[in-house]
Amino acid sequence: MASIFIFILTIFTLLTTHLSHAQQTCTTQKFTNNKLYSHCNDLPHLNSFLHWSLNPSKNTLSIAFIAAPPTPSGWISWAINPTGEGMAGAQALLAYKASNGSMVVKTYNISSYSSIVEGELSFDVKDKRAEYSDGMMKIYATVVLPENGVTTVNQVWQVGPAVSDGFPVKHAFQPANLGAKGRLDLLSGQSSGGGIGGGSGNKKKNIHGILNAVSWGILFPIGIIIARYLRSFPSADPAWFYLHAFCQVSGYAIGVAGWGTGLKLGSDSKGVTYSTHRDIGIALFSLATVQVFALFLRPNKDHKFRFYWNIYHHGIGYAILVLGVINVFKGLDILSPESKWRTSYIIVISTLGGIALLLEVITWIVVLNRKSSKSTKPYDNKQQPLAP
Ligand SMILES: *[C@@H]1O[C@H](CO)[C@@H](O)[C@H](O)[C@H]1NC(C)=O
Ligand SMILES: *[C@@H]1O[C@H](CO)[C@@H](O)[C@H](O)[C@H]1NC(C)=O
């Protein structure tokens, strides 16, 4: 019984923390000169962050790359690879602390693993400088993009343990070091203008967002509300069951389609992996699939295992509910559509939460009345509508 209150509390806590905290770490990072960048990304490896602003008219990209070198005398590096993926071909900016204590930024033309030459890059780099504080190094630079109208680049980033005679010592070869590369969409992460309603490049993401928000974020919660509350009214039997099944099965169908678009987006975006969003998505798909099979394994109402089946079915149902809502917000953080989309979803889910709360109170009143008016009869436990 208490579970529904805990659930509603969880949802509201989630919503309020989402409203008051930025999800990404990079959004709270500040720069000494109060410089502002229009986008930022928590890079998936090596505790690294990239902030950037694209200036399409000048074809320049201003960046601030932040990373933690393995040691204070180590180095950090961020590169664009105009010719391929990974290190071979990368045009790198590299920063470290010189022996006189000041931070230096150098540029390296890495044409192959064996040819790392300090010198000019294949594109112009302006205003490069670096800072070091609290264990984090920052590289600032403005690069003139290799081609006009470029909106995606292959990026590579890296950290290394030391610098010897002005030359960076080889980095580690851990999975995180080897994975620190990929495509960067310079237009994504836009807080307005991009996302829903934006250009055709965002279309797939928007379809993915809408399918999943409707299924996991709206239909599943409605189905759960129907199952939980309509059931307590004898006149709603068996209509509630069909409504519930309809919501969950159509939610599942749309959700699976949305999940498929997510897998496609994931495999398309090699550079930036949103592992939490992806993992929750996979968990949701698995739980929901188990839930659909549960329908076929449902024991009869009076079967002695029905009680355990109910616990299992309700447990997984609430898990899907909570994970689904969390993942819609994770997705909104990634897609960063215009704020009205997030606001709309918050309104929808809060309304559903409010309806659930109201129905919870009404159900209690109905159940208590029924109990007192039938107090001569022994209470039939199977009629108890609220036993999760
Ligand atoms: C410190 O050394 C770097 C290179 O070793 C040099 O470029 C820089 O000018 C030096 N800074 C000062 C303040 O001497
Ligand atoms: C980088 O190195 C490669 C191979 O040595 C060379 O062909 C290329 O011209 C170099 N790029 C620049 C900008 O110097």
Side-chain angles (χ1 to χ4, degrees):
M1 187 53 242
S3 64
I4 189 74
F5 287 113
I6 293 172
F7 152 66
I8 290 170
L9 211 66
T10 314
I11 295 293
F12 279 103
T13 316
L14 278 174
L15 289 175
T16 45
T17 50
H18 250 279
L19 287 172
S20 53
H21 290 272
Q23 251 332 84
Q24 284 176 303
T25 309
C26 69
T27 54
T28 57
Q29 290 171 337
K30 297 267 186 301
F31 297 99
T32 41
N33 50 0
N34 282 329
K35 194 167 164 59
L36 291 175
Y37 294 89
S38 57
H39 306 284
C40 77
N41 236 312
D42 293 357
L43 298 175
H45 299 293
L46 302 174
N47 191 20
S48 303
F49 310 88
L50 185 72
H51 298 251
W52 74 93
S53 298
L54 185 64
N55 184 335
S57 60
K58 289 190 189 150
N59 200 34
T60 57
L61 177 69
S62 294
I63 61 119
F65 172 70
I66 307 178
T71 66
S73 52
W75 52 266
I76 68 165
S77 175
W78 183 82
I80 288 178
N81 190 333
T83 54
E85 277 179 28
M87 187 172 155
Q91 305 292 299
L93 293 155
L94 187 140
Y96 64 90
K97 190 178 233 161
S99 48
N100 60 17
S102 63
M103 291 293 296
V104 277
V105 184
K106 290 183 174 178
T107 51
Y108 287 90
N109 173 13
I110 305 170
S111 56
S112 74
Y113 295 102
S114 53
S115 163
I116 299 170
V117 179
E118 192 196 336
E120 296 285 289
L121 302 186
S122 61
F123 45 80
D124 274 342
V125 181
K126 299 178 200 163
D127 314 323
K128 60 182 197 300
R129 60 188 188 87
E131 285 172 4
Y132 181 62
S133 62
D134 301 326
M136 302 297 271
M137 288 184 180
K138 297 178 185 159
I139 299 177
Y140 301 91
T142 299
V143 304
V144 180
L145 287 170
E147 288 164 51
N148 240 332
V150 165
T151 59
T152 59
V153 293
N154 287 320
Q155 63 170 342
V156 191
W157 65 101
Q158 199 51 261
V159 299
V163 176
S164 155
D165 294 332
F167 201 78
V169 170
K170 210 161 56 179
H171 60 79
F173 284 83
Q174 298 301 313
N177 298 90
L178 301 177
K181 62 180 181 183
R183 264 188 112 60
L184 176 68
D185 185 339
L186 298 170
L187 296 177
S188 73
Q190 220 157 15
S191 56
S192 69
I196 291 174
S200 63
N202 281 316
K203 207 169 155 196
K204 269 192 226 158
K205 290 177 188 169
N206 296 341
I207 292 173
H208 167 78
I210 289 170
L211 289 178
N212 286 295
V214 166
S215 59
W216 308 104
I218 297 176
L219 278 174
F220 274 101
I222 291 178
I224 289 175
I225 290 176
I226 289 172
R228 186 171 179 86
Y229 300 108
L230 285 192
R231 231 187 341 174
S232 53
F233 303 100
S235 56
D237 199 34
W240 74 263
F241 176 78
Y242 293 112
L243 277 172
H244 171 66
F246 173 77
C247 277
Q248 307 315 61
V249 169
S250 47
Y252 182 72
I254 300 172
V256 168
W259 190 70
T261 60
L263 291 184
K264 179 83 177 83
L265 286 172
S267 70
D268 286 351
S269 112
K270 292 240 160 44
V272 188
T273 314
Y274 301 102
S275 41
T276 317
H277 184 65
R278 184 198 57 194
D279 294 347
I280 295 178
I282 292 171
L284 275 171
F285 172 74
S286 316
L287 289 174
T289 306
V290 167
Q291 201 71 324
V292 166
F293 280 106
L295 207 61
F296 300 109
L297 297 175
R298 190 166 60 132
N300 247 331
K301 253 188 187 157
D302 337 295
H303 196 283
K304 60 179 174 176
F305 288 147
R306 179 60 177 255
F307 173 71
Y308 300 102
W309 184 89
N310 280 347
I311 292 180
Y312 143 85
H313 183 67
H314 296 172
I316 295 189
Y318 288 128
I320 291 176
L321 177 64
V322 172
L323 289 177
V325 173
I326 291 177
N327 228 24
V328 169
F329 281 106
K330 291 258 172 227
L332 282 167
D333 286 338
I334 294 168
L335 196 54
S336 311
E338 285 171 59
S339 57
K340 65 180 179 196
W341 292 94
R342 179 187 288 267
T343 311
S344 315
Y345 184 65
I346 290 175
I347 291 171
V348 168
I349 200 72
S350 310
T351 308
L352 287 177
I355 291 173
L357 197 63
L358 192 71
L359 288 173
E360 187 72 29
V361 172
I362 295 174
T363 310
W364 266 102
I365 295 169
V366 170
V367 169
L368 292 178
N369 278 345
R370 203 183 288 162
K371 221 170 171 179
S372 59
S373 67
K374 291 183 184 170
S375 54
T376 46
K377 285 186 185 174
Y379 188 67
D380 180 5
N381 223 357
K382 282 182 211 99
Q383 295 277 296
Q384 162 63 278
L386 298 168

